[in-house]
Amino acid sequence: QFKFKKPPQAKDLFFGICLEKYVPMSWATKQLMSRLVSMFRQVVGDQLYHSPGDNPKKSSGELEHPVFSMPLWAFDQYIV
C-alpha cells in the first residue's frame, strides 16, 4: 500500500500497453487499426498515443515497440 504526497489529477493518469516485439499485419488490418485509432482520437483528443512499432526488416538501430496509451478517464468509458 502506498500514499501520494500530492494526489494525482485524473488528467495525469494513463492506461497503456506495450508489446515485446513487432507484429506483422496485412494491409486490411492496418487500415482497420488506423480507422479505429482515428475514431478514438475524435473522442480522446491528442492524449491518445498509438504506434504499430518499427518493422525490424525495414528499420535499423533502436526500434520502437508496438504501443497504445490513452488517459484513464477515457479508457474506462469503453465496453468491449
Side-chain angles (χ1 to χ4, degrees):
Q1 202 178 50
F2 62 90
K3 188 174 183 178
F4 291 105
K5 289 182 180 180
K6 180 181 172 188
Q9 295 183 2
K11 66 181 178 96
D12 296 330
L13 298 175
F14 286 79
F15 171 82
I17 58 171
C18 181
L19 301 180
E20 283 186 28
K21 60 182 181 177
Y22 177 76
V23 179
M25 293 176 276
S26 68
W27 177 85
T29 302
K30 288 180 184 179
Q31 291 298 312
L32 178 62
M33 182 175 59
S34 175
R35 289 173 195 230
L36 286 171
V37 170
S38 178
M39 287 181 354
F40 286 150
R41 269 206 184 99
Q42 289 178 359
V43 175
V44 177
D46 292 337
Q47 291 183 309
L48 183 137
Y49 180 73
H50 172 261
S51 172
D54 293 328
N55 186 343
K57 294 180 181 177
K58 297 181 179 179
S59 303
S60 61
E62 188 174 355
L63 303 175
E64 182 179 20
H65 295 283
V67 64
F68 178 84
S69 173
M70 69 188 312
L72 197 57
W73 67 262
F75 175 74
D76 71 351
Q77 301 300 313
Y78 294 102
I79 300 172
V80 180

